[in-house]
Amino acid sequence: MLHKVICIDDDPIALLLSRMVISKANFASQVITFSNGEEAISYLTATPESGDKEEKQLILLDLNMPVMDGWEFLEQFSQGLSSHYQNTKIILLSSSIDPNDIRKSKNFHMVLDFFPKPLTKELLGRILTKLSI
């Protein structure tokens, strides 16, 4: 079980579904949701990872959002926060099927993979394998 999963998506239904799937699968002890990248960056900046540095955290990130999209979030996270969140990995969970988005995601070392929405219990199993838990 992960310590924390952060879900970033502008679709409130997708956030609700993600929270329900994560909870029913006992995937994480804590789920935090944000409706855009800017809210998530503010949260991560205000609460740098504390406690056991070995605890793995996961961010489920949508790409297409208002205010700050997933790409802008990844840029800011990689430039200023990734050193504080070394055990935090990111899964892009998007409705985009653009091969360029998949290729672009490989430029960010903290991105483990790119999956289509919606989040399912089966997808959580694949994510666990990627995280080596």
Side-chain angles (χ1 to χ4, degrees):
M1 177 184 283
L2 289 174
H3 170 65
K4 185 187 302 180
V5 174
I6 296 172
C7 301
I8 309 168
D9 196 317
D10 63 318
D11 180 353
I13 304 291
L15 289 176
L16 179 64
L17 178 64
S18 293
R19 185 182 288 278
M20 286 175 44
V21 170
I22 291 166
S23 176
K24 285 185 184 249
N26 289 321
F27 186 78
S29 56
Q30 185 178 15
V31 180
I32 300 172
T33 61
F34 299 102
S35 61
N36 63 64
E38 186 176 77
E39 291 175 358
I41 289 290
S42 294
Y43 169 80
L44 293 168
T45 301
T47 57
E49 186 177 44
S50 60
D52 186 358
K53 293 286 187 189
E54 298 305 310
E55 286 186 355
K56 292 185 179 184
Q57 296 184 106
L58 178 67
I59 295 174
L60 299 175
L61 178 64
D62 185 24
L63 290 177
N64 301 310
M65 297 177 286
V67 184
M68 178 188 286
D69 68 20
W71 298 121
E72 293 167 312
F73 173 87
L74 285 170
E75 287 291 336
Q76 284 202 21
F77 185 87
S78 64
Q79 291 173 7
L81 290 170
S82 62
S83 62
H84 295 288
Y85 291 93
Q86 294 177 6
N87 287 315
T88 297
K89 298 300 179 190
I90 298 173
I91 295 284
L92 296 178
L93 192 62
S94 180
S95 56
S96 171
I97 55 169
D98 185 345
N100 291 323
D101 284 342
I102 296 169
R103 274 193 291 282
K104 186 176 178 180
S105 72
K106 295 179 189 313
N107 293 327
F108 297 93
H109 74 278
M110 74 290 293
V111 173
L112 286 181
D113 214 329
F114 190 112
F115 293 113
K117 288 181 183 178
L119 184 64
T120 63
K121 189 174 180 180
E122 293 76 23
L123 185 54
L124 287 178
R126 292 173 62 193
I127 291 171
L128 278 178
T129 301
K130 291 263 179 200
L131 290 170
S132 301
I133 294 178

PDB file of all heavy atoms in Angstrom, residues 91-107:
ATOM      1  N   ILE A  91       2.256   9.075 -12.851  1.00  0.00           N
ATOM      2  CA  ILE A  91       1.594   8.354 -13.935  1.00  0.00           C
ATOM      3  C   ILE A  91       0.704   9.364 -14.650  1.00  0.00           C
ATOM      4  O   ILE A  91      -0.112  10.032 -14.007  1.00  0.00           O
ATOM      5  CB  ILE A  91       0.716   7.192 -13.410  1.00  0.00           C
ATOM      6  CG1 ILE A  91       1.565   6.116 -12.729  1.00  0.00           C
ATOM      7  CG2 ILE A  91      -0.144   6.611 -14.533  1.00  0.00           C
ATOM      8  CD1 ILE A  91       2.342   5.213 -13.645  1.00  0.00           C
ATOM      9  N   LEU A  92       0.892   9.497 -15.949  1.00  0.00           N
ATOM     10  CA  LEU A  92      -0.003  10.348 -16.722  1.00  0.00           C
ATOM     11  C   LEU A  92      -1.247   9.535 -17.024  1.00  0.00           C
ATOM     12  O   LEU A  92      -1.169   8.436 -17.571  1.00  0.00           O
ATOM     13  CB  LEU A  92       0.672  10.813 -18.006  1.00  0.00           C
ATOM     14  CG  LEU A  92       1.900  11.703 -17.800  1.00  0.00           C
ATOM     15  CD1 LEU A  92       2.517  12.077 -19.133  1.00  0.00           C
ATOM     16  CD2 LEU A  92       1.565  12.927 -16.993  1.00  0.00           C
ATOM     17  N   LEU A  93      -2.367  10.065 -16.610  1.00  0.00           N
ATOM     18  CA  LEU A  93      -3.661   9.417 -16.780  1.00  0.00           C
ATOM     19  C   LEU A  93      -4.520  10.400 -17.571  1.00  0.00           C
ATOM     20  O   LEU A  93      -5.050  11.349 -17.004  1.00  0.00           O
ATOM     21  CB  LEU A  93      -4.265   9.115 -15.406  1.00  0.00           C
ATOM     22  CG  LEU A  93      -5.469   8.205 -15.348  1.00  0.00           C
ATOM     23  CD1 LEU A  93      -5.135   6.818 -15.884  1.00  0.00           C
ATOM     24  CD2 LEU A  93      -5.956   8.095 -13.916  1.00  0.00           C
ATOM     25  N   SER A  94      -4.589  10.196 -18.883  1.00  0.00           N
ATOM     26  CA  SER A  94      -5.180  11.216 -19.731  1.00  0.00           C
ATOM     27  C   SER A  94      -6.087  10.610 -20.794  1.00  0.00           C
ATOM     28  O   SER A  94      -5.957   9.435 -21.138  1.00  0.00           O
ATOM     29  CB  SER A  94      -4.062  12.008 -20.408  1.00  0.00           C
ATOM     30  OG  SER A  94      -4.581  13.023 -21.237  1.00  0.00           O
ATOM     31  N   SER A  95      -6.968  11.425 -21.318  1.00  0.00           N
ATOM     32  CA  SER A  95      -7.812  11.002 -22.431  1.00  0.00           C
ATOM     33  C   SER A  95      -7.084  11.198 -23.762  1.00  0.00           C
ATOM     34  O   SER A  95      -7.564  10.762 -24.804  1.00  0.00           O
ATOM     35  CB  SER A  95      -9.127  11.773 -22.421  1.00  0.00           C
ATOM     36  OG  SER A  95      -8.871  13.158 -22.457  1.00  0.00           O
ATOM     37  N   SER A  96      -5.920  11.813 -23.737  1.00  0.00           N
ATOM     38  CA  SER A  96      -5.139  12.028 -24.956  1.00  0.00           C
ATOM     39  C   SER A  96      -4.623  10.698 -25.493  1.00  0.00           C
ATOM     40  O   SER A  96      -4.156   9.849 -24.736  1.00  0.00           O
ATOM     41  CB  SER A  96      -3.951  12.948 -24.659  1.00  0.00           C
ATOM     42  OG  SER A  96      -3.088  12.992 -25.787  1.00  0.00           O
ATOM     43  N   ILE A  97      -4.719  10.547 -26.801  1.00  0.00           N
ATOM     44  CA  ILE A  97      -4.147   9.365 -27.445  1.00  0.00           C
ATOM     45  C   ILE A  97      -3.073   9.789 -28.454  1.00  0.00           C
ATOM     46  O   ILE A  97      -2.655   9.007 -29.297  1.00  0.00           O
ATOM     47  CB  ILE A  97      -5.238   8.508 -28.127  1.00  0.00           C
ATOM     48  CG1 ILE A  97      -6.035   9.349 -29.109  1.00  0.00           C
ATOM     49  CG2 ILE A  97      -6.132   7.842 -27.106  1.00  0.00           C
ATOM     50  CD1 ILE A  97      -6.955   8.556 -30.012  1.00  0.00           C
ATOM     51  N   ASP A  98      -2.624  11.018 -28.339  1.00  0.00           N
ATOM     52  CA  ASP A  98      -1.624  11.572 -29.237  1.00  0.00           C
ATOM     53  C   ASP A  98      -0.266  10.915 -28.979  1.00  0.00           C
ATOM     54  O   ASP A  98       0.275  11.015 -27.876  1.00  0.00           O
ATOM     55  CB  ASP A  98      -1.537  13.088 -29.021  1.00  0.00           C
ATOM     56  CG  ASP A  98      -0.606  13.777 -29.995  1.00  0.00           C
ATOM     57  OD1 ASP A  98       0.203  13.107 -30.661  1.00  0.00           O
ATOM     58  OD2 ASP A  98      -0.687  15.018 -30.083  1.00  0.00           O
ATOM     59  N   PRO A  99       0.323  10.243 -29.971  1.00  0.00           N
ATOM     60  CA  PRO A  99       1.641   9.610 -29.786  1.00  0.00           C
ATOM     61  C   PRO A  99       2.723  10.612 -29.381  1.00  0.00           C
ATOM     62  O   PRO A  99       3.677  10.255 -28.696  1.00  0.00           O
ATOM     63  CB  PRO A  99       1.946   8.994 -31.155  1.00  0.00           C
ATOM     64  CG  PRO A  99       0.647   8.920 -31.870  1.00  0.00           C
ATOM     65  CD  PRO A  99      -0.223   9.996 -31.293  1.00  0.00           C
ATOM     66  N   ASN A 100       2.561  11.878 -29.795  1.00  0.00           N
ATOM     67  CA  ASN A 100       3.534  12.898 -29.402  1.00  0.00           C
ATOM     68  C   ASN A 100       3.510  13.133 -27.894  1.00  0.00           C
ATOM     69  O   ASN A 100       4.549  13.400 -27.293  1.00  0.00           O
ATOM     70  CB  ASN A 100       3.277  14.209 -30.146  1.00  0.00           C
ATOM     71  CG  ASN A 100       3.593  14.088 -31.616  1.00  0.00           C
ATOM     72  OD1 ASN A 100       4.553  13.419 -32.013  1.00  0.00           O
ATOM     73  ND2 ASN A 100       2.773  14.718 -32.444  1.00  0.00           N
ATOM     74  N   ASP A 101       2.320  13.046 -27.274  1.00  0.00           N
ATOM     75  CA  ASP A 101       2.225  13.195 -25.822  1.00  0.00           C
ATOM     76  C   ASP A 101       2.961  12.054 -25.129  1.00  0.00           C
ATOM     77  O   ASP A 101       3.666  12.268 -24.135  1.00  0.00           O
ATOM     78  CB  ASP A 101       0.762  13.220 -25.366  1.00  0.00           C
ATOM     79  CG  ASP A 101       0.078  14.552 -25.667  1.00  0.00           C
ATOM     80  OD1 ASP A 101       0.784  15.552 -25.900  1.00  0.00           O
ATOM     81  OD2 ASP A 101      -1.163  14.578 -25.664  1.00  0.00           O
ATOM     82  N   ILE A 102       2.793  10.853 -25.635  1.00  0.00           N
ATOM     83  CA  ILE A 102       3.473   9.693 -25.040  1.00  0.00           C
ATOM     84  C   ILE A 102       4.984   9.854 -25.165  1.00  0.00           C
ATOM     85  O   ILE A 102       5.724   9.634 -24.206  1.00  0.00           O
ATOM     86  CB  ILE A 102       2.977   8.382 -25.689  1.00  0.00           C
ATOM     87  CG1 ILE A 102       1.488   8.201 -25.390  1.00  0.00           C
ATOM     88  CG2 ILE A 102       3.784   7.186 -25.211  1.00  0.00           C
ATOM     89  CD1 ILE A 102       0.803   7.112 -26.180  1.00  0.00           C
ATOM     90  N   ARG A 103       5.449  10.271 -26.355  1.00  0.00           N
ATOM     91  CA  ARG A 103       6.893  10.492 -26.545  1.00  0.00           C
ATOM     92  C   ARG A 103       7.414  11.603 -25.625  1.00  0.00           C
ATOM     93  O   ARG A 103       8.458  11.468 -25.001  1.00  0.00           O
ATOM     94  CB  ARG A 103       7.185  10.856 -28.000  1.00  0.00           C
ATOM     95  CG  ARG A 103       7.365   9.654 -28.891  1.00  0.00           C
ATOM     96  CD  ARG A 103       7.966  10.046 -30.234  1.00  0.00           C
ATOM     97  NE  ARG A 103       7.075  10.824 -31.069  1.00  0.00           N
ATOM     98  CZ  ARG A 103       6.069  10.310 -31.778  1.00  0.00           C
ATOM     99  NH1 ARG A 103       5.830   9.033 -31.753  1.00  0.00           N
ATOM    100  NH2 ARG A 103       5.304  11.095 -32.512  1.00  0.00           N
ATOM    101  N   LYS A 104       6.664  12.692 -25.545  1.00  0.00           N
ATOM    102  CA  LYS A 104       7.072  13.832 -24.712  1.00  0.00           C
ATOM    103  C   LYS A 104       7.162  13.440 -23.240  1.00  0.00           C
ATOM    104  O   LYS A 104       8.041  13.901 -22.515  1.00  0.00           O
ATOM    105  CB  LYS A 104       6.082  14.982 -24.895  1.00  0.00           C
ATOM    106  CG  LYS A 104       6.458  16.262 -24.213  1.00  0.00           C
ATOM    107  CD  LYS A 104       5.459  17.361 -24.541  1.00  0.00           C
ATOM    108  CE  LYS A 104       5.775  18.650 -23.824  1.00  0.00           C
ATOM    109  NZ  LYS A 104       4.819  19.713 -24.149  1.00  0.00           N
ATOM    110  N   SER A 105       6.269  12.558 -22.798  1.00  0.00           N
ATOM    111  CA  SER A 105       6.270  12.151 -21.383  1.00  0.00           C
ATOM    112  C   SER A 105       7.561  11.442 -20.986  1.00  0.00           C
ATOM    113  O   SER A 105       7.961  11.473 -19.832  1.00  0.00           O
ATOM    114  CB  SER A 105       5.063  11.259 -21.081  1.00  0.00           C
ATOM    115  OG  SER A 105       5.214   9.968 -21.648  1.00  0.00           O
ATOM    116  N   LYS A 106       8.225  10.822 -21.958  1.00  0.00           N
ATOM    117  CA  LYS A 106       9.475  10.096 -21.672  1.00  0.00           C
ATOM    118  C   LYS A 106      10.641  11.040 -21.353  1.00  0.00           C
ATOM    119  O   LYS A 106      11.681  10.599 -20.892  1.00  0.00           O
ATOM    120  CB  LYS A 106       9.815   9.177 -22.837  1.00  0.00           C
ATOM    121  CG  LYS A 106       8.780   8.077 -23.020  1.00  0.00           C
ATOM    122  CD  LYS A 106       9.115   7.189 -24.191  1.00  0.00           C
ATOM    123  CE  LYS A 106       8.031   6.224 -24.569  1.00  0.00           C
ATOM    124  NZ  LYS A 106       7.391   5.460 -23.599  1.00  0.00           N
ATOM    125  N   ASN A 107      10.449  12.338 -21.567  1.00  0.00           N
ATOM    126  CA  ASN A 107      11.483  13.326 -21.247  1.00  0.00           C
ATOM    127  C   ASN A 107      11.545  13.654 -19.760  1.00  0.00           C
ATOM    128  O   ASN A 107      12.457  14.353 -19.328  1.00  0.00           O
ATOM    129  CB  ASN A 107      11.251  14.621 -22.030  1.00  0.00           C
ATOM    130  CG  ASN A 107      11.447  14.425 -23.512  1.00  0.00           C
ATOM    131  OD1 ASN A 107      12.267  13.629 -23.953  1.00  0.00           O
ATOM    132  ND2 ASN A 107      10.673  15.148 -24.298  1.00  0.00           N
TER     133      ASN A 107
END
